[in-house]
Amino acid sequence: SPPRPVKPRPFRPRAAGQGAAPGGGAGAPPALPAGGGAARARPTAGVRALVLSTQPAMLSAHRIYRRLGFLRTPERDWEPVPGLRLMTFRLPLEAVS
Protein backbone atom coordinates (compact mmCIF):
# COMPACT_ATOMS: atom_id res chain seq x y z
CA SER A 1 0.00 0.00 0.00
CA PRO A 2 1.23 3.57 -0.64
CA PRO A 3 2.57 5.54 2.32
CA ARG A 4 -0.05 7.58 4.08
CA PRO A 5 0.32 11.37 3.82
CA VAL A 6 1.74 13.24 6.78
CA LYS A 7 -0.88 15.46 8.37
CA PRO A 8 0.70 18.82 9.31
CA ARG A 9 0.46 19.85 12.91
CA PRO A 10 0.67 23.40 14.26
CA PHE A 11 4.13 24.58 15.25
CA ARG A 12 4.45 24.92 19.02
CA PRO A 13 7.90 25.93 20.32
CA ARG A 14 9.00 24.13 23.49
CA ALA A 15 11.70 25.06 25.94
CA ALA A 16 14.47 22.49 26.46
CA GLY A 17 13.45 19.92 29.03
CA GLN A 18 9.75 20.04 28.16
CA GLY A 19 9.87 16.66 26.46
CA ALA A 20 11.31 15.48 23.21
CA ALA A 21 9.57 16.29 19.97
CA PRO A 22 8.50 12.73 19.01
CA GLY A 23 4.81 12.70 18.36
CA GLY A 24 4.01 16.25 19.38
CA GLY A 25 4.16 19.65 17.75
CA ALA A 26 6.35 18.60 14.86
CA GLY A 27 4.70 20.78 12.22
CA ALA A 28 6.98 23.17 10.38
CA PRO A 29 6.82 26.92 10.93
CA PRO A 30 6.33 29.15 7.89
CA ALA A 31 9.32 29.23 5.54
CA LEU A 32 11.95 31.86 6.32
CA PRO A 33 13.93 33.89 3.82
CA ALA A 34 17.53 32.78 3.25
CA GLY A 35 19.45 33.21 6.50
CA GLY A 36 16.27 33.85 8.45
CA GLY A 37 16.73 30.84 10.72
CA ALA A 38 20.10 32.06 11.95
CA ALA A 39 18.64 35.50 12.59
CA ARG A 40 15.93 33.99 14.80
CA ALA A 41 18.32 31.89 16.92
CA ARG A 42 18.42 34.47 19.72
CA PRO A 43 18.12 33.86 23.46
CA THR A 44 14.61 34.15 24.91
CA ALA A 45 13.71 34.33 28.59
CA GLY A 46 13.64 30.81 30.06
CA VAL A 47 14.71 29.06 26.86
CA ARG A 48 18.09 27.33 27.22
CA ALA A 49 18.38 25.60 23.86
CA LEU A 50 16.98 25.35 20.37
CA VAL A 51 16.40 21.84 18.97
CA LEU A 52 15.65 21.21 15.31
CA SER A 53 14.84 18.16 13.20
CA THR A 54 16.19 17.55 9.70
CA GLN A 55 16.25 14.78 7.15
CA PRO A 56 19.48 12.74 6.81
CA ALA A 57 19.90 13.71 3.13
CA MET A 58 20.08 17.45 3.91
CA LEU A 59 23.88 17.49 4.17
CA SER A 60 24.28 21.17 3.24
CA ALA A 61 21.86 22.13 6.01
CA HIS A 62 23.77 19.95 8.51
CA ARG A 63 26.98 21.86 7.66
CA ILE A 64 25.21 25.18 8.25
CA TYR A 65 23.80 23.99 11.59
CA ARG A 66 27.27 22.87 12.76
CA ARG A 67 28.82 26.16 11.64
CA LEU A 68 26.18 28.01 13.71
CA GLY A 69 27.11 25.95 16.79
CA PHE A 70 24.43 23.25 16.74
CA LEU A 71 25.50 19.89 18.15
CA ARG A 72 24.23 16.55 16.84
CA THR A 73 21.86 14.84 19.31
CA PRO A 74 21.28 11.29 17.99
CA GLU A 75 19.48 10.29 21.19
CA ARG A 76 16.61 12.59 20.13
CA ASP A 77 16.28 11.27 16.53
CA TRP A 78 12.74 10.17 15.75
CA GLU A 79 10.22 9.03 13.13
CA PRO A 80 7.02 11.13 12.93
CA VAL A 81 5.63 8.43 10.61
CA PRO A 82 7.08 5.00 9.81
CA GLY A 83 9.94 5.30 7.33
CA LEU A 84 10.55 9.06 7.77
CA ARG A 85 13.64 9.28 9.98
CA LEU A 86 14.55 12.71 11.30
CA MET A 87 17.89 13.67 12.82
CA THR A 88 18.12 16.29 15.56
CA PHE A 89 20.57 19.07 16.35
CA ARG A 90 20.68 21.21 19.52
CA LEU A 91 21.99 24.75 19.99
CA PRO A 92 22.68 25.79 23.59
CA LEU A 93 21.51 29.43 23.53
CA GLU A 94 24.29 30.65 25.77
CA ALA A 95 26.53 29.81 22.78
CA VAL A 96 24.71 32.36 20.60
CA SER A 97 26.44 35.73 20.48
Side-chain angles (χ1 to χ4, degrees), residues 2-94:
R4 63 179 195 190
V6 177
K7 181 179 177 186
R9 289 176 260 169
F11 175 71
R12 283 173 270 162
R14 288 185 301 270
Q18 287 186 331
L32 298 173
R40 290 190 178 199
R42 301 284 182 252
T44 303
V47 179
R48 298 183 315 260
L50 177 69
V51 177
L52 61 83
S53 297
T54 183
Q55 293 182 5
M58 299 179 72
L59 300 177
S60 296
H62 302 171
R63 284 191 291 275
I64 292 169
Y65 304 147
R66 286 188 172 99
R67 193 172 356 158
L68 291 172
F70 282 83
L71 304 171
R72 189 65 184 92
T73 51
E75 68 277 5
R76 295 184 83 153
D77 290 357
W78 61 296
E79 286 190 19
V81 295
L84 177 60
R85 187 172 76 87
L86 297 178
M87 301 168 58
T88 60
F89 287 82
R90 181 179 189 273
L91 176 69
L93 291 181
E94 51 275 355

